[in-house]
């Protein structure tokens, strides 16, 4: 469906060069009656409905194969796969997650950690859903600290097999999507042991059932995680292994192999480096979750804005007509800055998808560029999922009691996205990863999650702190360079001024972290772990400041590439609103550090109000440009003339 005018131009901006992938999902999936929203299904029926939908996706020509190698019938186009995944998030998030487990996590692990023989043996079945799998990494006792997983895979040279064992209850694989009912096979992450020596966490292909929904294999125990707060169309479960034997060939041996006699060989020296190389190849999952969060946020905003445009409450003195609630400034402030930030996040997400595609589909980029993408992806995932959680809650509140009704979809969106802040990496842990990636001359001793190594490294470099400018842009730098030296001379709406403020905040906070760490370690009896532990709030602030700057840079850069015209004008207003909203939220910091005067801080508040008023006439167009199909906006409060106070 072709959309023209302002809405069409804005949608073109958001959809980007892979608009075709988004449109395929809209037309072939989201507009199909089979994928229409439902409420009030019991868990068993809901799981089977979602599994049937997953099979339907697999039958659509090219749809599930797009990200896989051409050698198995795919198109080797990871960028389009992730873009399609983002768009699928405008529908049922249980289907999104189940598809993500099957094609992104299970299939992605085989693709990126396995070799050609694994691709030939398993990926055609993954693509067709004849082989349904799960991704068994997390354990009850270890979630974020994957390096310390306790499941073991011990090599037996007599039989040329690995023996998979779960030593105790805390080592059960837990919260595993597809595990409770549908998966016949798991990619299991376990400590590889051969000759009595452990070589760290590796991935193995392990059958767990006799076919989809079949009986458990000998030695495999499966438990159902049961009813959850959300995503109840996904069958999450627990797995335990007792002497489960698999052929030696089912070690996914892209980075390490074991010879018949048990000799371990790897092209990557050191368990820690090998572990992070392994985990780094799975970055696609974090980028996908960020995109999914953005897609779900768009759907919630579309519902809330439509409601705000027809719901009327109160009125001006002497008037018989009540006012549309979106005409109240406080209501505009609830929704319009959130829309602006959603546009901004889409811009940085598009950059990350492009970089993912360049590195993993086109085979370009070195190890340093991969690590930079890992850091960006971690930070954007955290910020995008927190934004989704906050914005969807705001949308629910903005729709009053009607927003609490299941038929209006917002409660389900709220419940389903809540866990996005946890899976594919706890957000707080991810921001610590970002913080360690901020300093140049990235060293091996801080590539793990060891707080002591981080503290020592940062302290060593404190005298020469340099922010890594991974996305240096001529436009961005030229905007900053044009900003006058005196605050009162800088125009409040100048993008260069916004970038300068966020860049200063980032550098200042990071420098402060480094100085605190050095001072603490150099003091008499300074314990590195305690010093780092005491600075964690500061570390997280540095990471968040870094990601805020990256997001704004991406938005400014993308808007700068748009031709002059109505769409460019609206996008510039959105960009300004996003930037000033970030500054407004942290204006106390800017006041404390002399970057905003009291008068200037008040001007920021006033300008946010003005921008909300200026963008109010475009509110409908801004959310229509998200491209959420009508078939996924069935909430009665999102329908014209639904009787919610419209006149």
């Amino acid at each position: 469906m072709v959309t023209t005018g302002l809405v069409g131009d804005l949608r073109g901006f958001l959809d980007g060069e892979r608009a075709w992938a988004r449109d395929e999902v809209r037309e072939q999936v989201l507009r199909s009656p089979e994928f229409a929203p439902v409420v009030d299904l019991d868990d068993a029926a809901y799981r089977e409905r979602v599994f049937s939908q997953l099979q339907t996706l697999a039958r659509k020509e090219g749809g599930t194969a797009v990200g896989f190698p051409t050698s198995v019938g795919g198109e080797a186009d990871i960028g389009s796969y992730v873009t399609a995944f983002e768009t699928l998030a405008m529908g049922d998030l249980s289907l999104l997650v189940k598809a993500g487990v099957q094609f992104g996590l299970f299939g992605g692990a085989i693709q990126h950690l396995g070799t050609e023989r694994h691709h030939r043996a398993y990926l055609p079945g993954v693509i067709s859903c004849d082989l349904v799998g799960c991704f068994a990494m997390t354990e009850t006792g270890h979630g974020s600290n994957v390096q310390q997983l306790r499941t073991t895979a011990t090599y037996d040279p007599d039989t040329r097999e690995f023996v998979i064992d779960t030593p105790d209850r805390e080592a059960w694989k837990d919260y595993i999507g597809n595990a409770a009912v549908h998966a016949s096979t798991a990619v299991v992450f376990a400590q590889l042991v051969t000759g009595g020596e452990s070589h760290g966490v590796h991935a193995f292909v392990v059958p767990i059932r006799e076919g989809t929904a079949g009986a458990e294999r000998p030695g495999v125990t499966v438990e159902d995680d049961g009813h959850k707060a959300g995503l109840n169309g996904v069958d999450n479960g627990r797995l335990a292994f007792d002497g489960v034997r698999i052929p030696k060939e089912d070690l996914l041996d892209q980075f390490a192999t074991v010879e018949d006699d048990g000799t371990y060989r790897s092209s990557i020296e050191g368990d820690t480096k090998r572990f992070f190389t392994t985990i780094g190849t799975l970055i696609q999952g974090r980028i996908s979750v960020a995109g999914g969060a953005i897609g779900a946020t768009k759907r919630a905003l579309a519902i809330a804005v439509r409601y705000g445009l027809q719901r009327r409450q109160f009125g001006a003195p002497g008037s018989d007509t009540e006012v549309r609630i979106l005409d109240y400034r406080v209501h505009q402030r609830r929704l319009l800055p959130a829309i602006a930030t959603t546009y901004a996040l889409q811009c940085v997400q598009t950059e990350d998808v492009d970089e993912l595609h360049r590195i993993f589909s086109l085979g370009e980029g070195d190890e340093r560029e991969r690590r930079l993408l890992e850091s960006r992806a971690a930070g954007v995932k955290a910020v995008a999922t927190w934004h989704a959680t906050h914005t969807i809650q705001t949308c629910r509140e903005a729709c009053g009691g009607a927003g609490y009704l299941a038929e209006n979809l917002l409660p389900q969106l709220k419940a389903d996205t809540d866990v996005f802040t946890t899976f594919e990496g706890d957000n707080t842990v991810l921001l610590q990863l970002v913080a360690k990636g901020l300093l140049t001359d990235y060293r091996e001793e801080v590539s793990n999650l060891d707080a002591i190594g981080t503290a020592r490294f940062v302290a060593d470099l404190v005298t020469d702190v340099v922010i890594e400018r991974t996305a240096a842009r001529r436009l961005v730098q030229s905007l900053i360079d044009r900003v006058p030296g005196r605050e009162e001379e800088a125009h409040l709406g100048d993008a260069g001024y916004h970038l300068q403020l966020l860049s200063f905040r980032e550098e200042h906070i990071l420098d402060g972290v480094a100085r605190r760490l050095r001072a603490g370690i150099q003091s008499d009896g300074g314990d590195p772990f305690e010093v780092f532990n005491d600075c964690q709030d500061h570390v997280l602030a540095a990471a968040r400041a870094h990601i805020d700057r990256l997001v704004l840079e991406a938005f400014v850069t993308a808007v700068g590439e748009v031709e002059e015209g109505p769409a460019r004008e609206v996008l510039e207003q959105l960009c300004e609103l996003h930037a000033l909203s970030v500054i407004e939220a942290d204006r106390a910091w800017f006041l404390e550090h002399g970057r905003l005067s009291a008068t200037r801080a008040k001007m920021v508040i006033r300008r946010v109000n003005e921008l909300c008023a200026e963008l109010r006439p475009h509110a409908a167009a801004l959310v229509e440009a998200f491209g959420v199909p009508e078939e996924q906006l069935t909430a009665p409060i999102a329908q014209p003339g639904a009787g919610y106070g419209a006149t």
Side-chain angles (χ1 to χ4, degrees):
M1 184 173 67
V2 178
T3 306
T4 58
L6 178 61
V7 171
D9 290 342
L10 293 175
R11 185 173 302 176
F13 173 82
L14 290 168
D15 283 1
E17 295 181 356
R18 296 187 177 88
W20 65 269
R22 299 185 191 277
D23 286 339
E24 280 192 1
V25 174
R26 289 180 178 120
E27 297 300 325
Q28 296 184 23
V29 181
L30 298 178
R31 291 197 168 96
S32 168
E34 180 181 353
F35 296 88
V38 295
V39 296
D40 296 333
L41 285 178
D42 64 59
D43 287 358
Y46 193 9
R47 288 174 172 183
E48 291 310 310
R49 180 180 196 266
V50 170
F51 183 51
S52 175
Q53 292 174 331
L54 184 75
Q55 293 173 310
T56 298
L57 291 182
R59 288 193 294 269
K60 293 184 180 296
E61 185 176 353
T64 58
V66 64
F68 290 106
T70 56
S71 61
V72 295
E75 300 176 25
D77 187 351
I78 291 175
S80 293
Y81 166 80
V82 176
T83 300
F85 184 86
E86 291 177 23
T87 311
L88 193 62
M90 295 177 179
D92 187 338
L93 293 174
S94 281
L95 175 60
L96 177 85
V97 171
K98 197 165 184 74
V101 170
Q102 172 69 8
F103 307 115
L105 294 179
F106 177 62
I110 295 171
Q111 177 180 353
H112 297 300
L113 301 181
T115 52
E116 185 61 33
R117 75 171 185 276
H118 299 111
H119 296 174
R120 292 193 304 268
Y122 297 117
L123 290 183
V126 173
I127 293 168
S128 66
C129 273
D130 291 332
L131 177 67
V132 179
C134 60
F135 184 82
M137 177 182 282
T138 297
E139 295 177 356
T140 304
H142 286 89
S144 297
N145 191 5
V146 175
Q147 201 168 5
Q148 299 302 318
L149 294 178
R150 298 182 57 240
T151 302
T152 59
T154 305
Y155 183 66
D156 181 349
D158 293 335
T159 60
R160 297 179 62 251
E161 293 174 317
F162 284 99
V163 184
I164 314 297
D165 282 298
T166 302
D168 53 45
R169 186 71 196 194
E170 285 199 351
W172 279 53
K173 298 298 181 181
D174 211 344
Y175 325 115
I176 309 302
N178 288 353
V181 178
H182 294 129
S184 66
T185 307
V187 168
V188 176
F189 288 80
Q191 303 286 347
L192 188 156
V193 180
T194 180
E197 181 181 356
S198 176
H199 295 276
V201 174
H202 293 63
F204 303 82
V205 178
V206 182
I208 61 172
R209 280 192 183 88
E210 303 290 348
T212 298
E216 297 163 12
R217 290 287 189 108
V220 177
T221 302
V222 180
E223 288 185 359
D224 196 322
D225 275 323
H227 186 77
K228 308 182 294 292
L231 298 175
N232 283 300
V234 182
D235 52 312
N236 294 85
R238 305 180 183 96
L239 299 172
F241 306 94
D242 182 8
V244 176
R245 289 179 172 268
I246 62 170
K248 178 175 79 74
E249 290 74 22
D250 280 339
L251 163 67
L252 295 176
D253 57 355
Q254 177 67 241
F255 301 113
T257 189
V258 174
E259 296 183 1
D260 289 352
D261 64 359
T263 303
Y264 179 86
R265 299 193 186 282
S266 175
S267 58
I268 303 172
E269 293 185 8
D271 290 354
T272 296
K273 185 174 183 181
R274 185 166 51 251
F275 169 77
F276 279 94
T277 300
T278 298
I279 296 301
T281 63
L282 305 177
I283 188 176
Q284 175 180 320
R286 281 180 187 155
I287 294 177
S288 296
V289 170
I294 294 167
T297 303
K298 290 174 180 177
R299 190 181 183 202
L301 284 166
I303 293 169
V305 167
R306 285 186 174 195
Y307 179 75
L309 287 168
Q310 64 172 325
R311 174 68 163 169
R312 292 178 182 268
Q313 287 288 280
F314 307 106
S319 173
D320 294 331
T321 303
E322 292 186 299
V323 176
R324 288 185 178 90
I325 59 174
L326 195 56
D327 287 332
Y328 288 106
R329 190 75 70 242
V330 67
H331 206 78
Q332 294 168 5
R333 269 184 160 269
R334 281 173 144 180
L335 298 178
L336 291 172
I339 291 172
T341 296
T342 302
Y343 272 71
L345 287 168
Q346 184 62 68
C347 292
V348 78
Q349 172 72 6
T350 298
E351 287 190 350
D352 285 355
V353 171
D354 287 345
E355 187 69 356
L356 177 74
H357 182 78
R358 184 182 73 85
I359 292 173
F360 287 93
S361 288
L362 303 182
E364 301 173 359
D366 53 25
E367 182 179 346
R368 175 178 169 276
E369 289 173 312
R370 288 192 179 206
R371 290 209 180 265
L372 291 175
L373 179 59
E374 288 173 35
S375 177
R376 274 180 61 109
V380 172
K381 184 267 180 184
V383 171
T385 55
W386 272 327
H387 174 67
T389 296
H390 174 73
T391 300
I392 294 171
Q393 173 65 21
T394 298
C395 289
R396 208 293 301 153
E397 293 179 22
C399 295
Y404 199 61
L405 299 180
E407 66 177 2
N408 287 321
L409 305 180
L410 293 171
Q412 195 64 56
L413 277 169
K414 176 174 156 54
D416 286 346
T417 55
D418 193 37
V419 76
F420 280 34
T421 61
T422 300
F423 63 32
E424 285 300 313
D426 175 87
N427 283 359
T428 299
V429 175
L430 291 183
L431 284 188
Q432 292 185 68
L433 176 65
V434 173
K436 288 186 293 187
L438 289 177
L439 300 174
T440 54
D441 299 327
Y442 203 99
R443 295 183 182 177
E444 181 58 32
E445 59 262 37
V446 294
S447 65
N448 58 37
L449 294 179
D450 179 3
I452 296 174
T454 302
R456 288 173 176 161
F457 173 59
V458 176
D460 287 344
L461 293 185
V462 69
T463 57
D464 188 25
V465 175
V466 182
I467 301 297
E468 178 61 54
R469 300 295 185 183
T470 63
R473 302 172 175 87
R474 293 190 192 89
L475 171 62
V476 167
Q477 193 57 52
S478 67
L479 289 171
I480 294 174
D481 291 344
R482 290 204 299 266
V483 176
R486 297 174 60 188
E487 178 195 22
E488 60 270 22
E489 296 175 354
H491 192 280
L492 196 61
D494 189 337
Y497 176 61
H498 307 150
L499 288 163
Q500 185 186 68
L501 284 178
L502 295 195
S503 295
F504 172 82
R505 182 181 62 160
E506 176 187 1
E507 294 177 15
H508 191 282
I509 293 175
L510 183 61
D511 181 68
V513 170
R515 284 187 283 105
R516 280 184 68 188
L517 289 167
R518 183 180 67 168
I521 293 171
Q522 289 181 348
S523 65
D524 292 339
D527 178 78
F529 176 80
E530 291 301 328
V531 170
F532 181 78
N533 195 41
D534 191 49
C535 294
Q536 279 188 313
D537 60 323
H538 208 158
V539 167
L540 295 177
R544 182 59 192 255
H546 174 66
I547 297 302
D548 283 347
R549 192 259 302 169
L550 287 182
V551 171
L552 181 58
E553 282 191 356
F555 200 2
V556 169
T557 301
V559 172
E561 295 172 355
V562 177
E563 293 182 2
E564 295 291 340
R568 169 73 176 256
E569 293 175 9
V570 170
L571 288 168
E572 287 176 343
Q573 289 174 310
L574 282 172
C575 191
E576 183 182 352
L577 178 57
H578 165 70
L580 291 179
S581 295
V582 173
I583 293 165
E584 180 188 36
D586 208 14
R587 64 185 183 277
W589 189 94
F590 290 105
L591 279 163
E592 287 175 359
H593 294 82
R595 301 301 292 185
L596 284 180
S597 64
T599 300
R600 193 77 159 178
K602 293 176 183 177
M603 290 173 63
V604 169
I605 298 171
R606 185 163 61 249
R607 181 57 184 154
V608 168
N609 284 337
E610 291 171 354
L611 285 165
C612 286
E614 292 168 12
L615 285 165
R616 159 62 184 86
H618 305 298
L622 291 175
V623 295
E624 188 179 346
F626 290 153
V628 183
E630 289 296 323
E631 291 79 359
Q632 300 300 326
L633 294 173
T634 57
I637 57 173
Q639 308 309 310
Y644 285 93
T647 59

